[in-house]
């Protein structure tokens, strides 16, 4: 479903500013996997997401989605296969456009944008029923500008938009980190439900260890551009926050010294 083979990414090569963001990353995700990613600041987590969604091209190595090589496929075309929700609730939406217009855009993901605003009655009904299914009352506000929604409402809409066309891969990039605890819990539950109902293959970066254990059927830890630990499904039941922290320390040789890390 998603395969990374020896993927590396270097920024500003050969300069004093050279940064090794990812080194020889290997990752094999099968359909329906929910892999959570944890790691220290600057470990390469966002770079991993950016490489999968096509923002960057790898310097070396190969990325395959559903068996297709995608290294040279543009971010726009790749968005047919890859849905993404960002930490900033504004990032995946157009705040000056209405909920309906945003959904129209999401429904044409990765395709020609000329038909963007052609929303017929059937489509409007589909948007309305999908919004109703979200269960947060947005179906009554189809003409509201997205910029006027609360952070939680925007993230719920972002989740719906990222998953509208049933992408092969869903990327969640600390998508609850900017929300207060009750809204974060709402979005976490919504995420669990949508991923389960649509049987999505999901990769989620989080700084919340408990969330990582709760949502993922598999967990990877990153440090200094490397995947240093891959806890597979059969070990999931053994996972605890304390155990994971200990394992990270043992393998990396340092503590997860990250003030954004939430233990639960
Ligand atoms: N566009 C860029 N230009 C130069 N260096 C970059 C760029 N993007 C990332 N880096 C560097 O690559 C390394 C990995 O960064 P990345 O953002 O992937 O880490 P991260 O694990 O997501 O960190 P955080 O948890 O702080 O968001 C860091 O040293 C970072 O400074």
């Amino acid at each position: 479903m998603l395969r990374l083979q020896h993927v590396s990414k270097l920024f500003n090569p050969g300069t004093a500013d050279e940064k090794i963001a990812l080194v020889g990353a290997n990752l094999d995700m099968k359909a329906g996997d929910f892999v959570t990613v944890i790691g220290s600041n600057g470990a390469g987590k966002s770079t991993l997401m950016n490489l999968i969604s096509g923002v960057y091209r790898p310097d070396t190595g190969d990325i395959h989605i559903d068996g297709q090589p995608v290294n040279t496929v543009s971010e726009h075309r790749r968005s047919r296969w890859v849905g993404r929700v960002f930490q900033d609730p504004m990032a995946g939406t157009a705040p000056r456009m209405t909920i309906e217009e945003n959904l129209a855009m999401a429904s044409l993901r990765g395709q020609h944008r000329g038909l963007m605003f052609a929303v017929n009655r059937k489509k409007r009904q589909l948007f309305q029923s999908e919004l109703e299914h979200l269960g947060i009352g947005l179906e009554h506000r189809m003409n509201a500008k997205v910029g006027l929604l609360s952070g939680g409402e925007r993230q719920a809409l972002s989740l719906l938009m990222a998953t509208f066309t049933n992408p092969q891969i869903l990327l969640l990039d600390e998508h609850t980190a900017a929300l207060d605890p009750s809204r974060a819990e709402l979005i976490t539950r919504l995420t669990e439900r949508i991923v389960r109902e649509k049987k999505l293959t999901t990769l989620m970066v989080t700084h919340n260890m408990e969330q990582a254990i709760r949502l993922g059927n598999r967990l990877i830890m990153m440090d200094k551009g490397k995947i240093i630990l891959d806890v597979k499904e059969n070990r999931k039941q053994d996972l605890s926050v304390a155990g994971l922290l200990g394992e990270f320390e043992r393998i990396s040789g340092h503590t997860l010294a990250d003030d954004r890390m939430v233990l639960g």
Side-chain angles (χ1 to χ4, degrees):
M1 177 55 77
L2 173 70
R3 173 174 281 184
L4 274 75
Q5 288 169 302
H6 314 296
V7 173
S8 298
K9 182 71 190 169
L10 201 65
F11 290 104
N12 310 317
T15 72
D17 236 6
E18 184 173 294
K19 292 266 169 56
I20 301 168
L22 203 66
V23 191
N26 291 309
L27 181 66
D28 227 327
M29 282 174 65
K30 58 183 192 317
D33 261 349
F34 195 138
V35 177
T36 49
V37 186
I38 275 210
S40 43
N41 282 122
K45 304 180 294 295
S46 298
T47 302
L48 178 68
M49 298 295 227
N50 285 330
L51 285 163
I52 295 168
S53 63
V55 177
Y56 302 138
R57 286 186 184 180
D59 293 325
T60 61
D62 292 303
I63 302 176
H64 287 82
I65 297 176
D66 266 0
Q68 304 281 329
V70 295
N71 278 22
T72 57
V73 176
S74 72
E75 184 186 4
H76 175 65
R77 274 192 49 222
R78 219 183 288 190
S79 66
R80 258 190 223 195
W81 303 311
V82 182
R84 188 169 180 180
V85 185
F86 298 87
Q87 179 175 347
D88 177 0
M90 286 302 207
T93 56
R96 290 200 180 87
M97 285 163 56
T98 65
I99 292 177
E100 178 174 289
E101 288 163 349
N102 271 273
L103 282 170
M105 206 166 53
S107 71
L108 294 169
R109 190 176 295 284
Q111 297 172 41
H112 181 58
R113 289 190 169 161
L115 300 169
M116 199 159 80
F117 296 107
V119 179
N120 56 26
R121 218 176 98 234
K122 208 167 142 209
K123 222 167 180 185
R124 185 165 296 123
Q125 278 169 354
L126 175 66
F127 295 162
Q128 203 145 18
S129 70
E130 292 276 339
L131 286 168
E132 205 172 332
H133 191 60
L134 272 189
I136 58 166
L138 288 182
E139 68 276 16
H140 307 300
R141 303 169 65 191
M142 299 262 284
N143 294 321
K145 293 268 197 290
V146 168
L148 298 175
L149 303 181
S150 73
E153 288 168 340
R154 263 180 266 148
Q155 271 322 53
L157 180 67
S158 299
L159 255 180
L160 176 56
M161 288 172 64
T163 57
F164 196 86
T165 55
N166 295 336
Q168 268 76 1
I169 306 291
L170 173 64
L171 300 178
L172 303 172
D173 207 345
E174 295 189 54
H175 73 309
T176 62
L179 303 173
D180 63 53
S182 65
R183 288 196 170 118
E185 177 57 25
L186 185 121
I187 296 301
T188 299
R189 283 199 203 149
L190 213 50
T191 305
E192 282 180 300
R193 178 155 66 88
I194 291 173
V195 166
R196 193 182 53 240
E197 285 174 357
K198 298 199 166 209
K199 298 186 174 61
L200 297 171
T201 308
T202 307
L203 187 65
M204 176 177 83
V205 170
T206 180
H207 283 257
N208 184 322
M209 299 280 266
E210 212 163 65
Q211 189 191 42
I213 293 172
R214 173 172 153 195
L215 265 62
N217 70 323
R218 195 173 145 196
L219 186 144
I220 61 177
M221 274 196 167
M222 294 184 68
D223 187 47
K224 300 193 182 96
K226 289 189 178 151
I227 295 175
I228 59 165
L229 182 68
D230 188 341
V231 185
K232 298 262 169 56
E233 197 160 6
N234 54 358
R235 275 199 55 208
K236 164 100 202 281
Q237 58 273 31
D238 305 333
L239 291 183
S240 72
V241 170
L244 274 177
L245 283 173
E247 202 142 354
F248 181 86
E249 245 178 272
R250 191 175 59 74
I251 299 169
S252 69
H254 65 90
T255 56
L256 204 51
D258 180 348
D259 49 13
R260 288 200 298 139
M261 187 60 68
V262 182
L263 300 184

